[in-house]
Every structure is written in structure tokens, then in C-alpha cells.
Amino acid sequence: MRRSKNYSTAARLFGYLHHQKARLTVVVISIILYVGLSIWNPMYSAIVIDHLWESLQAARESGSAFAITWDHMGRELFQLTCQYFFTWIFYYLQSYLMANVAENMVLGMRKQVEAKLNRLPLRFFDQNKAGEILSRVTSDLDKITEVMQTGLLKLIVAIGTMIGSLIIMFYYSVPLTLIFLIFMFVSMVITRAVSRRSLWLAKDQQETIGALTGIAEEYYHGRDVIKAYNHEAESTEQMEKAAEDACIANQKLSFLTNCVNPLIRLLTRLAHVVIAIIAGHAMLTGRLSVGIVQAFFQYINQTAEPLTEASYMINSLQAAFASARRTFELLDEEEEVPDHLLMKKISFTAMPGQKIAVVGSTGAGKTTLANLLMRFYEINSGKILLDGKNVAGMTRSGLRRNFGMVLQDTWLFGGTIAENIAYGKPDATREEIVAAAKAAKVDYFIRTMPQGYDTVLDNDGANLSAGQKQLLTIARIFLCDPPILILDEATSSVDTRTEAEIGKAMKKLMSGRTSFVIAHRLSTIRDADMILFMEHGNIIEQGNHKELLKKKGAYATLYYSQFE
């Protein structure tokens, strides 16, 4: 089962290469020529060295001086030098192109992951830590890039070189080759055992890194709350535990991956010693020449060293397969389809230009209702109509262009203040950005910043107050000027005076537009055209402020409880 998973993962991973056939063709040709030259070079060097040895012997026996000319060994030595030079050229070419192929392949995967994240439902992000998701997008894909650039190439070259070298070695000496193969068989047994274990350790390593990243991201954003509740010790302990788990997993994998190389090299050196003794005796008895013996040792290195590299790269490929499997799990996640039942008995009509207030206790379903309108969640039954058109037949991007949304939790990215305001309208002019900022009552404090609208924000706007950040997100809505507004406690982080100023601007902005206001402070929505009172995912009352007070129901009870 594990082997079939590896095969399916490898097949799917290599499927990303079909757009790069031209580069791959050149890579394959370079590999063939490189392997061919690598096998031919020692054989030709045996011929050259034997000729040199014979010339030296003849010169010594005749008492004449030994000299190398173009016609006497010069041409052969030049040819050997050219062969080694072109061997390097083909190695460089295949390495360069394979790096290019690997980067382009992973670039395609990154684009797929990015598109996938935009299609995943909020449920996925609610159920998975941000750090875990980031780990799959960053470290997992980086691992694939690293192995595809070097590991796969080395493995292919190693296999080709070993096969060719063994054929020539058998041609030179069957007994010496069999002795070498005995040592190599032991190496292969060790490699196989290590590769099986390393797959599980690689998967465990990536999971612990993802968990550590998730905790770090979570604690960083919640650092103020952690300090406020004196949980520094507990959070530090949990962070250390996650770091220790990641450290142990990494130590196990690193030890297993790196210890196999020295062990195989030791076996190779022992093979050298045994073969050197036997080959020396064969030279003394005239059964092997000097050139063949030195060529045989070159083939030993060309076989043993790639075998060592192959063992290392097989382990690395196992790690890459583990990372690829985690990436494919993300790509195979169920997209925005009907979720489990969150709400029922939901029915209301919002007329153009109306202000619709959504109220209720925490967890009543207010934000969920807004998510349904934006199609962050799909509905199981019924339908949502926008200007008489079923939103299920609209693209999500087309639907969401009709909405402007300001949430309780502000989000600013690393960039200038102007860029943050223009997030929903990147082509906006500076005049439009300034006008939106003035409408949101944020222009004054922006001009007090060091570079004004060109001030760069960092760490999610850490150098701004919560109210200032909220004002910037509200300015985005003014700039986008959408037909429908969703305001989820949009003024919860501003002071009373600022809230009053924003309220005036909002009233002007909402004129002629449909707006949904999610609020806990009932005093802010008394002028709403319709109030939806929610409880346990249902709309239990709807009407305007006066009508609901006359009913003396749940809304009236909640409203009067403010004055107790």
C-alpha cells in the first residue's frame, strides 16, 4: 500500500513536467552524453596509460630519452582532455536546465495552491491552523524544489553510470567485479532499510514543523492577550514542547539520512583494499595491465560513489514524496460545497437602499448569515437572489464585487497606507484614495505619519492603534463604492467621537445602497429599516425598532436589558 502511494504520488508529481518537454529533452540528451562519456573516459584512459607504460618501458630498455609529441601520445592525451572537458560541459548543462525545470514545476504547483486556497471554504481555515497551512505552502514545496533540482538528476545519472560501469568491470575482470558486488549488496540492503524508515520520519518531520509554525503564528498574533492573562509561562512551555518535537523529528531524520553515507563509504573502502590486493597480484602475474587496473578503480569509484549518492537521494526523494503528498492533500481538499446545516428558517427581503441590522447574542449566526451572502458557505436548500438573479448561478468573484465588507478583525498587509486603502481598487488614483480617506475621517492622522500616504506599514499595522486600523479598512469601502455593504461591528474599535463622525459619513455612503449591519450595541441600529433578530441560527423576529419593541419579544427584552 505504501509503495502504491509512492508510485501514485510520483506519477502525479511528474505530471507537472509535461509542459516542459523541450527542456527535458535537452536534459535527457545531456544525461545520455554525460553518462556515455563517464563510462568511456576510464576505458580510453586505460588505453592511453598502457601506451605510456609501454613507451616508458621501451625507452628504459633502449636507454633512449622518453618524449611526448603530437604524433606520439600527444593526440591521445589531447583527446582524453577534451573528453573530460565535454563531460563537464554536459554535467553543467543538465544541472542548469534541471534547476530551471524544477523551479518552473514548483511554480506551477504554487499557483495551483494559491488558486486552491482562494476556493476553499472558511470551514477549512477554521479547522486548520494558519501555520500548518503556511508550512504546506512554503517548506513542503521548498523540499520538492530542492530534491527535484539535484536529487532526481543525481539518481538518474547514478543509475546509468552504475549499469555502464558494471558492464565494463565484468569485461575486465569477473572475479574482481563479483567481490565488489558483494560489498555493494550489503550497501543496498542497508540503503533499503534506511529508505523505508526515512519515509515515516520525513512525514513526521514535516508535520511537527507545521505544528510549530502554527503555534508560533498563533502566539505571535495573540501576544497581547497572552500577556494580559499572565499565560507567558504556559505558552512558552507549549512552544518549547512543539520546538522540541520538531527538533527530535529533525534529529532522527538527519541522523538516519547522514549516517548511511559514511557507512557505505566504509564498505567501499574495504572493497578497495581487498580488490587492490587481488589486482596487485594479477598485475604481477601479467593477467591485468596497469591501465586496466587504474581504469577498474575509476569504475569502482564511479559505481560506489553514485551508489552512495543514490542512497542519500532515495532518502531525500522519500522526504520529497512526503511533502508532495501533503501538498496534494491540500489540493484535493473539498472546495466550497454545501456544508453541514448551520441555519434554518431563514427568509427575508432587503430592498434597495435599506439598512438591515442583524442582532442577537454571541453565536446566534449573525456572521454566518453574512458569510452565506458572500458565498463563503453554500446553502443546502432555498436560494439567495440578488436583483432577482440566483447567486448560485454567478461566479464567486462576480458576486463578491457587489459587496463591501468591514469586519471586526482588521487586516492590513505590508505596504504603504495608500496601497492598503486601494486594496479593493488597485488602479485608484491618489486623489480617489485621499477622498476615501477623508470620507472615513482618517485623512488627518495619515498626514501626521512620517511619509503620509506613502508610510509603509509592517507587522499587520503594529505601529497603528486598533481604531486607526479600523478606519483604514473603512476607507477601503469608501474607495470601492460597492452597491451592498456588510458592516460587522465596523466601529467597535473607535472612540465615541470618531464613531459619530464615521456614522455621518456612513449614512451618506449607505444612501441608495443596501447595507447589512451586524451589531451588538442596539443603540447604533435603531434607525434601521429592518432588524433581523437571530437565535441559534434562526431569524426569530424581524421588523423595525418600534415594531419589535411593541411585540415585547426577544428583541425588546435584549434592548431594555441594556438599561438595567
Side-chain angles (χ1 to χ4, degrees), residues 112-252:
Q112 275 197 341
V113 169
E114 178 189 13
K116 182 70 177 185
L117 291 175
N118 289 329
R119 296 194 302 269
L120 287 173
L122 291 182
R123 168 177 46 82
F124 173 81
F125 299 97
D126 293 338
Q127 295 173 352
N128 294 272
K129 291 184 177 181
E132 170 67 17
I133 300 173
L134 289 173
S135 175
R136 298 193 182 206
V137 176
T138 54
S139 62
D140 283 338
L141 289 176
D142 288 340
K143 175 67 72 175
I144 296 172
T145 304
E146 175 188 346
V147 174
M148 290 298 295
Q149 280 188 13
T150 57
L152 181 63
L153 187 64
K154 286 184 177 181
L155 184 61
I156 295 173
V157 170
I159 293 173
T161 304
M162 284 190 292
I163 293 174
S165 297
L166 284 172
I167 293 173
I168 305 301
M169 289 168 71
F170 272 112
Y171 173 75
Y172 282 150
S173 175
V174 174
L176 292 179
T177 305
L178 291 176
I179 293 172
F180 172 73
L181 287 178
I182 291 173
F183 282 94
M184 292 304 100
F185 176 76
V186 177
S187 299
M188 292 176 65
V189 171
I190 295 174
T191 300
R192 182 176 177 82
V194 170
S195 65
R196 287 180 175 179
R197 178 62 178 163
S198 65
L199 175 62
W200 292 101
L201 292 178
K203 186 173 183 290
D204 184 54
Q205 179 203 38
Q206 292 302 108
E207 289 178 352
T208 55
I209 289 175
L212 175 61
T213 306
I215 291 177
E217 188 273 341
E218 181 180 304
Y219 287 173
Y220 175 79
H221 286 286
R223 58 191 182 279
D224 292 338
V225 177
I226 291 173
K227 291 180 179 179
Y229 285 90
N230 296 318
H231 274 274
E232 293 94 337
E234 291 85 346
S235 60
T236 300
E237 182 179 349
Q238 293 177 8
M239 188 72 180
E240 289 177 350
K241 177 64 170 58
E244 183 179 356
D245 291 342
C247 178
I248 292 173
N250 188 61
Q251 283 179 343
K252 289 180 179 179

Side-chain angles (χ1 to χ4, degrees), residues 30-40 42 87 91 94 153-169 180 298-307:
S30 299
I31 290 175
I32 294 173
L33 293 173
Y34 172 77
V35 172
L37 285 172
S38 297
I39 296 171
W40 168 242
T87 303
Y91 178 80
Q94 68 188 11
L153 187 64
K154 286 184 177 181
L155 184 61
I156 295 173
V157 170
I159 293 173
T161 304
M162 284 190 292
I163 293 174
S165 297
L166 284 172
I167 293 173
I168 305 301
M169 289 168 71
F180 172 73
Q298 285 192 61
Y299 285 122
I300 287 178
N301 291 329
Q302 287 191 177
T303 305
E305 189 64 28
L307 183 60

